[in-house]
């Protein structure tokens, strides 16, 4: 049935690659072609700011799938190819090199790109990097080894900035993190966890500087100076910019697909156009558990949505219904998050040790999310309790000597 | 160099060789069905669950604390369960047999 059909995927990272293999596994017999402007065989992105950077690892140890498996599954990898336009009337995509490719089904896995804020002097700065792909890390490594003083300024105290700071510190750099808000991780977590991570970084020798809105970068010879609104300045051989992302919605927007914080899709991962699906970081999708639309930057969402799209494309009605989860590794700290805490009105901290605790977020009595620090048990049981809609005895939860398995009511 | 044998859900037996990295990477590089390793090998996703053959369990050793907790996410966990991203490839585990846990 699908033997003469072509499925084109734009974007070959976690979502696109997992989709391609899932579609083949679902029995799609036609062509599957993955386009990506990145020339590297698709790789895991989360390690880039963590182990991959710290251990100076090779990308070949971090491939999503071995090179041979694409051929074995008859999946065409068109790397180093940028898609410049979609023609939905003729079901064709056009590449920036002028070539075109027809499709029967199109899947947008376009992801996001690092945002570079319009800071005065940023374009002239030396050795300035974002961290989103393997090329970025190559640039950082090269600059790091060439630098004598290894003074690094990280602009932005979010997960990427903090993980990068931790990895570079372990490599022997002098690192300062400049955060615009009054605490790091302000957008994504609570003051308690922000304070914990501030402490962890400071005790490892990384300077965490808050209320530092960067206004200008000046360059004298090879030396950058990062200047903040409060008049303070920081010399930097290398600058890492980690201030968030912009979703790659342009191709979708040009053909009139509904865009709303991301490319809007239904629970089958289909966009507002019937032959076009979208998956991963670029999508704005309905989350059944929280009964609202969300856009997630996560491996979990990329992989799970990819599988749902593949099933629906071969005609198996499948609804996306996954509980989000995330992780971050910094120094000897493993943070695992399950659920979305947005909208919580009370929380409980269960402290089992200095570097072992969990924060449980509730709306009334409904458990929304759990942040676990070096505490797999809280993460795992939190996942189970959220899925089951369990009611938690908060007094028992608070008591670190209680058995976590016995903290539910009824 | 270690030889490691994987037994998949289709009862396919595949023996592969490796000398570094972790067992999940080795499995993914050899396209072993049912070992996904979505998190890249940092004990965060529980998609590389294997049952170590009883005869080999001593060689491989028990799961660490977070790994043991993560295994509880799995329904079909056994006393020989491991997340194979947490098993380093070395001569010490030469000849082990691992059964892939994933059923679908």
């Amino acid at each position: 049935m699908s033997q003469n059909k072509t499925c084109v995927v734009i974007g070959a990272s976690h979502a696109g690659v997992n989709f391609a293999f899932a579609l083949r596994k679902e029995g799609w017999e036609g062509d599957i072609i993955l386009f990506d402007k990145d020339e590297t065989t698709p790789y895991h992105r989360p390690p880039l700011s963590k182990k991959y950077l710290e251990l100076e690892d090779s990308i070949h140890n971090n491939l999503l799938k071995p090179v041979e498996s694409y051929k074995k599954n008859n999946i065409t990898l068109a790397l180093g190819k940028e898609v410049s336009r979609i023609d939905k009337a003729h079901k064709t995509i056009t590449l920036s090199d002028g070539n075109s490719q027809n499709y029967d089904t199109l899947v947008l896995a376009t992801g996001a790109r690092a945002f570079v804020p319009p800071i005065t002097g940023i374009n002239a700065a030396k050795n300035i990097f974002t961290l989103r792909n393997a090329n970025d890390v190559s640039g950082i490594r090269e600059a790091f080894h060439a630098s004598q003083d290894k003074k690094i300024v990280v602009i932005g105290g979010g997960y990427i900035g903090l993980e990068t700071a931790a990895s570079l510190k372990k490599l022997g750099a002098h690192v300062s993190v400049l955060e615009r808000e009054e605490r790091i991780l302000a957008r994504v977590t609570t003051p308690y966890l922000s304070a914990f991570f501030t402490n962890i970084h400071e005790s490892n020798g990384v300077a965490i500087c808050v209320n530092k809105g960067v206004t200008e970068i000046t360059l004298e010879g090879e030396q950058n100076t990062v200047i903040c609104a409060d008049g303070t300045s920081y010399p930097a051989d290398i600058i890492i910019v980690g201030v968030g992302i912009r979703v790659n919605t342009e191709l979708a927007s040009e053909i009139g697909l509904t865009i709303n914080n991301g490319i809007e899709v239904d629970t089958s991962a289909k966009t507002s156009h019937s032959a076009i699906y979208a998956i991963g970081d670029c999508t704005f999708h309905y989350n059944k558990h929280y009964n609202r639309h969300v856009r997630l930057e996560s491996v979990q969402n990329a992989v799970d949505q990819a599988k749902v799209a593949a099933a629906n494309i071969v005609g198996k009605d499948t609804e996306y219904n996954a509980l989000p989860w995330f992780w971050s590794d910094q120094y000897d700290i493993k943070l695992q998050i399950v659920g979305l805490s947005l909208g919580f009105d009370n929380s409980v901290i269960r402290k089992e040790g200095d570097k072992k605790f969990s924060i449980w977020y509730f709306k009334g009595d409904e458990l929304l999310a759990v942040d676990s620090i070096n505490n797999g048990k809280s993460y795992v049981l939190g996942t189970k309790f959220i899925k089951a809609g369990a009611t938690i005895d908060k007094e028992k939860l608070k008591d670190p000597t209680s058995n976590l398995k016995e903290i539910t009511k009824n | 160099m270690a030889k490691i044998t994987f037994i998949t859900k289709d009862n396919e037996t595949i023996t592969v060789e490796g000398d570094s990295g972790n067992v999940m990477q080795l499995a993914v590089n050899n396209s072993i069905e049912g070992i996904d390793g979505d998190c890249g090998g940092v004990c965060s996703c529980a998609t590389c669950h294997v049952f170590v053959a009883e005869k080999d369990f001593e060689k491989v050793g028990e799961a660490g604390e977070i790994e043991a907790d993560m295994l509880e996410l799995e329904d079909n966990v056994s006393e020989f369960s491991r997340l194979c991203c947490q098993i380093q490839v070395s001569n010490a585990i030469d000849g082990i047999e691992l059964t892939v846990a994933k059923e679908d």
Side-chain angles (χ1 to χ4, degrees), chain A residues 251-272:
Chain A
L251 288 171
S253 166
E254 279 162 20
I255 54 167
L257 299 187
T258 306
I259 309 291
N260 199 342
N261 186 17
I263 303 168
E264 198 165 305
V265 294
D266 65 15
T267 52
S268 71
K270 195 187 286 175
T271 67
S272 54

Side-chain angles (χ1 to χ4, degrees), chain A residues 14-48:
Chain A
H14 291 266
V17 168
N18 277 287
F19 166 80
F21 282 83
L23 186 67
R24 189 59 84 206
K25 208 171 169 186
E26 290 285 3
W28 178 272
E29 292 173 345
D31 289 342
I32 302 173
I33 310 172
L34 282 163
F35 287 93
D36 202 298
K37 69 177 174 188
D38 197 332
E39 291 180 356
T40 314
T41 307
Y43 49 87
H44 284 275
R45 283 180 198 266
L48 294 179

Side-chain angles (χ1 to χ4, degrees), chain A residues 12-14 17-18 42-44 62-66 70, chain B residues 28 36:
Chain A
S13 191
H14 291 266
V17 168
N18 277 287
Y43 49 87
H44 284 275
N62 288 274
L63 300 182
L64 288 171
K65 305 279 179 185
Y70 293 90
Chain B
V28 168
D36 295 335

